Amino acid sequence: MLREFPPPPRAAEFSELIKKKVEEIKVAGGTRETVTIDWNEQQAHVEVIDLPLSGLYFNPGTHRIRAQRSHDAARDEALEKDPWTAESQGYLKFLLMASPTDPNLQDPEFDKLQESLKQFGQNDPGLVTHQGILVNGNTRAAALRELGVQSMRVGVLPESFTWADINAVELSLQLRKDHRRDYSYINRLLAMEEQASLGRTPEQIAKEFRIQVKTYHQERWILSTIRELIDRSKSGGGVALKLVDWEGAQERLKELHRLYLKLESVDRDQAEVLKEFRLAAILLDFSKTDVRHIDEVFLKEGFLSRALPTALAADGSNTAQPDVVSIPGLDDLTVPAASSAVSEARSLNDRILRATAAVRSANPELQDSAKAQGQSVLDDARTAFDEAIDAAGRSARLRKRKQMAPARLAEACASIDQCVMDLVQARTSHSLDEEAFDEAVLKLRGSLRKLAQQAGRGLPAPGDGVAWLLEAVTAEGSR
């Protein structure tokens, strides 16, 4: 996971410039500006100097835009081959200025940063390697260049720093509580994955990211699921979803994980089907409250199966599903195959994944007819999901109304039980207000009469509870 990039052009020349400037500061004497970094669980203080912006390079390994690099596959491939060309550096600058959720738009937070720099100048120094690669302050450098500023204050890291050291320092600075601009969600997941690839334990990574260990495992599950979906979205022409497509889905993905764990231990197939349906709804951009309606009742009532058009309900294949499948390399060992319900759910989601990838693709070689076909699939799927979720919502509201009256009565019973205990204590201490208590009992009688009046309507054969209530109120009224 950790990429070792080659030195940029004129790295040796820039290193000499940095050494010269650092030496000049030391010789000049007086108060010297330093910046503190966390390195190998210790704090180090490095000298701050002023360097020309034109000589600084954006960091191709920065965690800040790791997911967004997939926005343009061709430019990302060129960046991977040579990150120091003007084109590659221009792509990094473009991504640093772009919105994390939609790189086609400029990030409002970048605009705020640029305005702040314009009004107040650079408050905090960045960090740079001896080769001129920015470790901290990439976004600030992009904003300063947009403003036409010629130089930037930066702290100089030790010449011995490796790429592992660079990534560790960037991560430690980003995770400080007072840091002003957080990584986007997917970039945090990628940073955790990188730390795991370096051999760090879940406990160490959770501590570094200031989260619980169970949250770390949740985040790894989510990233693994996203990668699986990207693989499943691939179709002809190299069209596929990108990591950046899942920015903004954080809460919906977390809720999916919690539901999946809850159901998996009880019914694995049900958990898998709900997982596929919820992921499809997330891709179709349904809100968090809408996605919540896709639950166990949603499956039991078959809301989606009734709403799906025939073209989406069938995958076009009549091939029977095998009962068991062999494990590659272990032909003698088999495991149960996925149920037909799971296979159908995956088939539906695969079509939605591929259609979404086609519609969102910027590949000029993709024919308009393919995009139109993908959009048609998404339109049909969204209409079906919208209808199913609406039906599930109405059903949930109806169930809530059905359960409300019994729940209210259960609360009243609990209050009466508590009243019995309070009454005993009040009499023991001779503190009972008998007049107020009598008045409250009369209110209870009136409430029971109204309850009996409504409970007895339309019930030719009332149950034991309602029958007792009707009998008690009738007997009380005859006195």
Side-chain angles (χ1 to χ4, degrees):
M1 291 297 297
L2 181 61
R3 169 79 187 276
E4 294 276 351
F5 294 96
R10 298 186 297 114
E13 178 184 338
F14 205 85
S15 179
E16 287 302 317
L17 173 64
I18 289 176
K19 290 175 184 177
K20 181 179 178 181
K21 282 184 170 286
V22 170
E23 188 61 31
E24 287 175 351
I25 291 176
K26 291 179 180 179
V27 172
T31 304
R32 287 148 49 185
E33 183 182 6
T34 61
V35 63
T36 303
I37 62 171
D38 296 320
W39 183 37
N40 290 337
E41 300 184 354
Q42 296 181 352
Q43 288 191 330
H45 307 284
V46 299
E47 300 283 354
V48 174
I49 60 175
D50 201 66
L51 287 176
L53 266 171
S54 59
L56 298 178
Y57 289 94
F58 295 117
N59 180 8
T62 179
H63 298 92
R64 182 170 299 286
I65 53 172
R66 190 74 58 82
Q68 286 69 30
R69 281 181 49 176
S70 62
H71 170 67
D72 188 322
R75 296 173 77 181
D76 185 37
E77 183 179 357
L79 190 154
E80 194 69 21
K81 288 181 179 177
D82 188 347
W84 314 121
T85 64
E87 292 76 13
S88 295
Q89 288 288 302
Y91 185 45
L92 289 172
K93 181 172 179 282
F94 164 76
L95 294 177
L96 288 164
M97 297 168 57
S99 166
T101 55
D102 186 356
N104 291 311
L105 304 174
Q106 185 155 310
D107 189 2
E109 292 299 318
F110 180 85
D111 294 335
K112 292 179 183 177
L113 172 63
Q114 187 172 318
E115 184 62 30
S116 174
L117 289 169
K118 182 178 180 181
Q119 291 188 29
F120 308 110
Q122 181 188 355
N123 293 325
D124 302 317
L127 277 178
V128 69
T129 70
H130 260 259
Q131 297 176 335
I133 303 167
L134 285 160
V135 176
N136 186 43
N138 284 271
T139 312
R140 272 172 286 167
L144 289 169
R145 285 185 179 179
E146 285 293 291
L147 293 171
V149 178
Q150 298 301 307
S151 63
M152 180 179 181
R153 288 174 24 254
V154 290
V156 181
L157 294 173
E159 192 172 3
S160 62
F161 258 41
T162 65
W163 275 102
D165 295 325
I166 291 170
N167 285 341
V169 167
E170 185 203 6
L171 192 60
S172 69
L173 286 168
Q174 174 59 39
L175 297 178
R176 284 181 180 175
K177 293 182 180 178
D178 61 348
H179 208 279
R180 294 184 179 179
R181 192 182 181 209
D182 292 334
Y183 287 154
S184 68
Y185 178 58
I186 302 300
N187 286 324
R188 278 180 63 87
L189 301 186
L190 292 172
M192 290 183 200
E193 181 183 56
E194 182 181 89
Q195 292 298 301
S197 72
L198 295 174
R200 304 193 69 190
T201 66
E203 290 74 20
Q204 290 173 322
I205 299 173
K207 182 179 179 181
E208 186 78 23
F209 281 80
R210 299 181 177 91
I211 58 176
Q212 296 181 353
V213 175
K214 67 177 182 179
T215 304
Y216 164 76
H217 288 300
Q218 178 187 65
E219 305 288 40
R220 294 302 308 275
W221 183 91
I222 289 173
L223 182 58
S224 174
T225 299
I226 289 173
R227 290 195 185 282
E228 177 198 340
L229 294 172
I230 290 174
D231 286 340
R232 288 167 55 186
S233 72
K234 292 177 180 177
S235 56
V239 175
L241 287 173
K242 310 177 188 69
L243 286 169
V244 70
D245 290 324
W246 299 93
E247 292 281 16
Q250 175 177 351
E251 292 304 319
R252 287 171 291 175
L253 289 169
K254 285 177 176 287
E255 288 192 0
L256 166 61
H257 177 257
R258 288 192 289 268
L259 177 64
Y260 183 84
L261 287 188
K262 172 185 157 188
L263 297 179
E264 185 185 26
S265 59
V266 180
D267 188 335
R268 177 67 182 269
D269 283 354
Q270 184 184 56
E272 288 292 332
V273 173
L274 278 175
K275 172 184 168 184
E276 295 295 334
F277 285 171
R278 282 206 173 194
L279 288 169
I282 293 171
L283 268 178
L284 294 168
D285 205 26
F286 281 93
S287 69
K288 180 169 63 175
T289 52
D290 284 338
V291 174
R292 284 175 183 163
H293 287 305
I294 303 177
D295 56 14
E296 301 95 309
V297 177
F298 186 89
L299 290 189
K300 181 180 178 182
E301 298 295 330
F303 292 120
L304 184 59
S305 60
R306 294 200 296 267
L308 279 176
T310 306
L312 279 178
D315 63 0
S317 173
N318 295 320
T319 304
Q321 295 293 327
D323 295 328
V324 296
V325 293
S326 300
I327 298 178
L330 299 172
D331 295 336
D332 295 334
L333 185 60
T334 59
V335 294
S339 69
S340 59
V342 175
S343 298
E344 290 170 6
R346 285 180 62 88
S347 175
L348 171 63
N349 201 14
D350 284 344
R351 296 193 64 186
I352 294 173
L353 286 164
R354 290 192 291 269
T356 305
V359 170
R360 296 183 183 180
S361 173
N363 188 344
E365 297 180 3
L366 189 65
Q367 296 182 357
D368 291 341
S369 58
K371 284 197 171 187
Q373 184 179 0
Q375 188 60 58
S376 176
V377 170
L378 295 184
D379 290 342
D380 289 345
R382 181 163 182 88
T383 299
F385 270 84
D386 191 39
E387 181 181 331
I389 288 172
D390 185 58
R394 290 196 305 271
S395 176
R397 291 190 293 272
L398 179 60
R399 290 196 308 275
K400 187 175 180 180
R401 284 197 297 270
K402 286 180 178 180
Q403 296 166 1
M404 192 171 293
R408 296 279 191 192
L409 200 54
E411 290 178 9
C413 290
S415 295
I416 290 175
D417 290 340
Q418 183 62 47
C419 177
V420 173
M421 298 175 62
D422 294 342
L423 180 61
V424 171
Q425 293 176 0
R427 280 182 171 163
T428 302
S429 60
H430 304 289
S431 59
L432 178 64
D433 186 339
E434 295 185 4
E435 184 175 344
F437 181 73
D438 190 66
E439 185 176 336
V441 172
L442 290 175
K443 286 184 179 180
L444 174 62
R445 181 179 66 179
S447 296
L448 287 173
R449 282 176 174 172
K450 288 188 283 187
L451 179 62
Q453 184 180 11
Q454 296 300 324
R457 287 185 175 179
L459 291 177
D464 292 343
V466 174
W468 171 87
L469 177 61
L470 296 174
E471 183 180 346
V473 171
T474 301
E476 190 274 337
S478 65
R479 293 176 183 174

